[in-house]
Amino acid sequence: MSHLDDILKSRRDTRHFTTDEVPDEVIQKALQAGHWAPSVGLTDATRYYIIKSNEVKCAIKNLFLDYNKKAEELTDNPEQKELYRSLKLEAIEEAPIGLIIAYDRSVLNQFTIGTIGSNEAVKFSSVCAAQNIWLSLTEQGYGMGWVSILNYYQFKKILDLPENIEPLGYFCIGKPATNYGNQPMLQQLHWKQKSETADCKEITEIHKINISNFDSTSSNKVENKTDFNSLLQEKIDSKTKPVGSLGTLETLAFQMATVFETLNPKIIKPNIVIFAADHGIANHGVSDYPQDVTRQMVNNFMEGGAAINVFCKQNNIELSIVDSGVNYDFPTNANLINAKIAKGTQSYLHLPAMSETELNLCFEKGKSIVENIVKEGSNCIGFGEMGIGNTSTASVLMSLLTGFSIDECVGKGTGINDEKLLNKQNILKKALKNYSGQAELKQQIAYFGGFEIIQMASGMLTAFENKMLILVDGFICTVAYLIAFKINPDIKKNAVFCHCSAEKAHQKLLNYLDAKPILNLDLRLGEGTGCSVAFPVLKSAEAFLNEMASFESAGVSRK
């Protein structure tokens, strides 16, 4: 077989192999074909790992079985579920050779041609290599099957792959036992029919993008309501207790009533919103976790398995999940709000994290999300976040906007060790040194910002405009609040700082903002968990103000 069309048409995602061995020269020829594939910026970032050990294959097979069970549960259609169970989707133990095709994201530590639009171009290059290998094996009379139903974090851990190595998946290689009736296996088994021709349309016109510029000033000022405040304070002081004896609960009750503009405040339809996005800086080893954990955790939120899900359910709080810019395409019917700006920001080590257009779009999206929640009748909103690498982004923004040194603003984030902390500090110092832009808020947050952080800042400003109680979670959310505060300092009247996190810089930032947190539980999870855990305290403040007897109604003498 030598004709290219025949090779292309006969290439199969093989799941059934004979017991024939695969000669070394076949593998070497295929790997050479992979090496000839295009490589963005000539990075040569593709890496290969050969697997022959039965023990290793068995461990990988177990990972597959675990995730395959989860995949099976994603459909509620009994017939589809039964058909899925019947499919053979791997040959990890049967295939003579296992091949891991991966890419080295550390190449992004240096300026790389072709990655300014998307750092995924490095991954795409490795996919091209995988296809070349597939075609080479097909031409030699062998086959390959791609196994991607894996927990990639565990996959990397059990194989002890370096942190900077990101696998595309596990590939089974051997002599095909069948050609599936000269068609894709899934088509042969009636799972899905492959279209006959490519879907291609010609684009003949340009559509203008209308994105309004955000205003870094706010005209909405809180009126001085001396009479109302006096009545409110009298109501609090007249409860059957010594003045001030309920401490922070009295402060919260006063704040709540002021925000809602009523002496009988009630929290209605509380909603915690998790904004999730990826960060280009994560490609430089600033976190203990790979970037894909962002996507995994968003799935966990949607499946109800995270801490925030448990706490929201416990306290009857609505939970909303926002894709602000995760490096993944979620299904269109996923239970989340699609506010994706791009698949992660650029690495601000070399260039701006986002363009001015993307910055304006972040403000537009954040505003729209909160406005929709307001329309549903909510008057209390909590802000949470998820994004591998976002503590680095928050640290840089804190340093720029407060004047603190970067060393004072950098912490261990997801729990990195001292060596990685030093590396993180050095990378962020280099990023700040490389910045030559203006010392203006708009330019700074565009260069160093995160999509989820800017959307949260916009959402907080919108919540203030709509007279909502604003619950601020930990370090990253407080940095989002810092941005909002720089735009409109009056937002502080609506903000409740739910806790002081274990992240080193959070207490310093709270002090800078003259903010007193409700709790100090050494939390450092994010997700809005601090908001959900502090929520019962707010309900206690509401309850005492509305339900506790006064000296007069109880017939108790005042001091």
Side-chain angles (χ1 to χ4, degrees), residues 61-77:
K61 173 70 174 282
N62 288 334
L63 283 183
F64 166 83
L65 291 173
D66 179 53
Y67 246 46
N68 194 50
K69 186 68 177 173
K70 292 182 179 180
E72 177 189 313
E73 298 303 320
L74 292 177
T75 175
D76 294 325
N77 184 320

mmCIF file of all heavy atoms in Angstrom, residues 61-77:
data_model
loop_
_atom_site.group_PDB
_atom_site.id
_atom_site.type_symbol
_atom_site.label_atom_id
_atom_site.label_comp_id
_atom_site.label_asym_id
_atom_site.label_seq_id
_atom_site.Cartn_x
_atom_site.Cartn_y
_atom_site.Cartn_z
ATOM 1 N N LYS A 61 -4.873 0.524 32.692
ATOM 2 C CA LYS A 61 -6.189 -0.071 32.417
ATOM 3 C C LYS A 61 -7.153 0.227 33.573
ATOM 4 O O LYS A 61 -8.334 0.545 33.352
ATOM 5 C CB LYS A 61 -6.026 -1.583 32.242
ATOM 6 C CG LYS A 61 -7.330 -2.393 32.112
ATOM 7 C CD LYS A 61 -8.034 -2.140 30.786
ATOM 8 C CE LYS A 61 -9.243 -3.062 30.616
ATOM 9 N NZ LYS A 61 -8.867 -4.431 30.223
ATOM 10 N N ASN A 62 -6.674 0.158 34.790
ATOM 11 C CA ASN A 62 -7.524 0.446 35.949
ATOM 12 C C ASN A 62 -7.995 1.900 35.956
ATOM 13 O O ASN A 62 -9.134 2.202 36.328
ATOM 14 C CB ASN A 62 -6.793 0.115 37.249
ATOM 15 C CG ASN A 62 -6.651 -1.379 37.462
ATOM 16 O OD1 ASN A 62 -7.456 -2.167 36.952
ATOM 17 N ND2 ASN A 62 -5.629 -1.783 38.195
ATOM 18 N N LEU A 63 -7.101 2.817 35.536
ATOM 19 C CA LEU A 63 -7.499 4.218 35.413
ATOM 20 C C LEU A 63 -8.614 4.363 34.390
ATOM 21 O O LEU A 63 -9.585 5.103 34.592
ATOM 22 C CB LEU A 63 -6.313 5.088 34.984
ATOM 23 C CG LEU A 63 -5.268 5.457 36.036
ATOM 24 C CD1 LEU A 63 -4.227 6.380 35.423
ATOM 25 C CD2 LEU A 63 -5.912 6.136 37.232
ATOM 26 N N PHE A 64 -8.462 3.654 33.267
ATOM 27 C CA PHE A 64 -9.485 3.693 32.225
ATOM 28 C C PHE A 64 -10.826 3.186 32.758
ATOM 29 O O PHE A 64 -11.866 3.811 32.549
ATOM 30 C CB PHE A 64 -9.060 2.854 31.013
ATOM 31 C CG PHE A 64 -10.184 2.573 30.060
ATOM 32 C CD1 PHE A 64 -10.545 3.499 29.098
ATOM 33 C CD2 PHE A 64 -10.923 1.391 30.152
ATOM 34 C CE1 PHE A 64 -11.609 3.261 28.238
ATOM 35 C CE2 PHE A 64 -11.983 1.144 29.299
ATOM 36 C CZ PHE A 64 -12.327 2.080 28.336
ATOM 37 N N LEU A 65 -10.804 2.050 33.436
ATOM 38 C CA LEU A 65 -12.048 1.441 33.919
ATOM 39 C C LEU A 65 -12.794 2.389 34.866
ATOM 40 O O LEU A 65 -14.021 2.493 34.832
ATOM 41 C CB LEU A 65 -11.748 0.118 34.625
ATOM 42 C CG LEU A 65 -11.265 -1.026 33.718
ATOM 43 C CD1 LEU A 65 -10.845 -2.225 34.549
ATOM 44 C CD2 LEU A 65 -12.345 -1.427 32.707
ATOM 45 N N ASP A 66 -12.029 3.083 35.700
ATOM 46 C CA ASP A 66 -12.637 4.015 36.653
ATOM 47 C C ASP A 66 -13.338 5.162 35.926
ATOM 48 O O ASP A 66 -14.491 5.498 36.222
ATOM 49 C CB ASP A 66 -11.556 4.564 37.585
ATOM 50 C CG ASP A 66 -12.115 5.559 38.597
ATOM 51 O OD1 ASP A 66 -13.083 5.206 39.282
ATOM 52 O OD2 ASP A 66 -11.583 6.670 38.682
ATOM 53 N N TYR A 67 -12.660 5.751 34.946
ATOM 54 C CA TYR A 67 -13.235 6.888 34.227
ATOM 55 C C TYR A 67 -14.302 6.451 33.239
ATOM 56 O O TYR A 67 -15.237 7.193 32.952
ATOM 57 C CB TYR A 67 -12.128 7.680 33.528
ATOM 58 C CG TYR A 67 -11.969 9.067 34.104
ATOM 59 C CD1 TYR A 67 -11.933 9.256 35.484
ATOM 60 C CD2 TYR A 67 -11.870 10.190 33.296
ATOM 61 C CE1 TYR A 67 -11.798 10.515 36.031
ATOM 62 C CE2 TYR A 67 -11.736 11.456 33.824
ATOM 63 C CZ TYR A 67 -11.702 11.613 35.198
ATOM 64 O OH TYR A 67 -11.587 12.866 35.745
ATOM 65 N N ASN A 68 -14.161 5.247 32.709
ATOM 66 C CA ASN A 68 -15.148 4.741 31.772
ATOM 67 C C ASN A 68 -16.498 4.561 32.468
ATOM 68 O O ASN A 68 -17.560 4.783 31.879
ATOM 69 C CB ASN A 68 -14.689 3.422 31.165
ATOM 70 C CG ASN A 68 -15.499 3.033 29.950
ATOM 71 O OD1 ASN A 68 -15.694 3.838 29.039
ATOM 72 N ND2 ASN A 68 -15.974 1.814 29.911
ATOM 73 N N LYS A 69 -16.453 4.173 33.740
ATOM 74 C CA LYS A 69 -17.679 4.030 34.519
ATOM 75 C C LYS A 69 -18.366 5.387 34.668
ATOM 76 O O LYS A 69 -19.604 5.497 34.555
ATOM 77 C CB LYS A 69 -17.347 3.447 35.905
ATOM 78 C CG LYS A 69 -18.569 3.121 36.747
ATOM 79 C CD LYS A 69 -19.362 1.970 36.160
ATOM 80 C CE LYS A 69 -20.529 1.605 37.056
ATOM 81 N NZ LYS A 69 -21.410 0.599 36.424
ATOM 82 N N LYS A 70 -17.564 6.426 34.890
ATOM 83 C CA LYS A 70 -18.120 7.772 35.006
ATOM 84 C C LYS A 70 -18.717 8.217 33.677
ATOM 85 O O LYS A 70 -19.781 8.849 33.636
ATOM 86 C CB LYS A 70 -17.044 8.760 35.459
ATOM 87 C CG LYS A 70 -16.569 8.547 36.890
ATOM 88 C CD LYS A 70 -15.547 9.586 37.287
ATOM 89 C CE LYS A 70 -15.095 9.364 38.727
ATOM 90 N NZ LYS A 70 -14.089 10.349 39.156
ATOM 91 N N ALA A 71 -18.030 7.898 32.584
ATOM 92 C CA ALA A 71 -18.523 8.271 31.250
ATOM 93 C C ALA A 71 -19.869 7.622 30.967
ATOM 94 O O ALA A 71 -20.778 8.241 30.404
ATOM 95 C CB ALA A 71 -17.506 7.859 30.190
ATOM 96 N N GLU A 72 -20.000 6.382 31.380
ATOM 97 C CA GLU A 72 -21.241 5.626 31.169
ATOM 98 C C GLU A 72 -22.432 6.302 31.852
ATOM 99 O O GLU A 72 -23.560 6.278 31.342
ATOM 100 C CB GLU A 72 -21.045 4.213 31.721
ATOM 101 C CG GLU A 72 -22.248 3.307 31.662
ATOM 102 C CD GLU A 72 -22.006 2.025 32.439
ATOM 103 O OE1 GLU A 72 -20.934 1.425 32.258
ATOM 104 O OE2 GLU A 72 -22.879 1.652 33.228
ATOM 105 N N GLU A 73 -22.168 6.942 32.995
ATOM 106 C CA GLU A 73 -23.247 7.566 33.758
ATOM 107 C C GLU A 73 -23.681 8.912 33.185
ATOM 108 O O GLU A 73 -24.648 9.507 33.657
ATOM 109 C CB GLU A 73 -22.811 7.769 35.219
ATOM 110 C CG GLU A 73 -22.487 6.476 35.964
ATOM 111 C CD GLU A 73 -23.662 5.501 35.958
ATOM 112 O OE1 GLU A 73 -24.807 5.966 36.115
ATOM 113 O OE2 GLU A 73 -23.427 4.288 35.786
ATOM 114 N N LEU A 74 -22.971 9.395 32.172
ATOM 115 C CA LEU A 74 -23.300 10.704 31.610
ATOM 116 C C LEU A 74 -24.551 10.683 30.742
ATOM 117 O O LEU A 74 -25.082 11.733 30.393
ATOM 118 C CB LEU A 74 -22.113 11.247 30.797
ATOM 119 C CG LEU A 74 -20.870 11.626 31.602
ATOM 120 C CD1 LEU A 74 -19.756 12.069 30.684
ATOM 121 C CD2 LEU A 74 -21.209 12.733 32.603
ATOM 122 N N THR A 75 -24.998 9.495 30.345
ATOM 123 C CA THR A 75 -26.220 9.409 29.555
ATOM 124 C C THR A 75 -27.350 8.789 30.384
ATOM 125 O O THR A 75 -27.145 7.829 31.120
ATOM 126 C CB THR A 75 -26.004 8.578 28.271
ATOM 127 O OG1 THR A 75 -27.268 8.440 27.588
ATOM 128 C CG2 THR A 75 -25.448 7.192 28.570
ATOM 129 N N ASP A 76 -28.537 9.376 30.244
ATOM 130 C CA ASP A 76 -29.711 8.845 30.939
ATOM 131 C C ASP A 76 -30.539 7.941 30.027
ATOM 132 O O ASP A 76 -31.544 7.384 30.452
ATOM 133 C CB ASP A 76 -30.598 10.007 31.441
ATOM 134 C CG ASP A 76 -29.900 10.834 32.510
ATOM 135 O OD1 ASP A 76 -29.155 10.239 33.313
ATOM 136 O OD2 ASP A 76 -30.090 12.059 32.532
ATOM 137 N N ASN A 77 -30.105 7.840 28.777
ATOM 138 C CA ASN A 77 -30.815 7.006 27.806
ATOM 139 C C ASN A 77 -30.433 5.542 28.030
ATOM 140 O O ASN A 77 -29.281 5.163 27.810
ATOM 141 C CB ASN A 77 -30.442 7.451 26.384
ATOM 142 C CG ASN A 77 -31.205 6.694 25.317
ATOM 143 O OD1 ASN A 77 -31.425 5.483 25.426
ATOM 144 N ND2 ASN A 77 -31.590 7.400 24.266
#
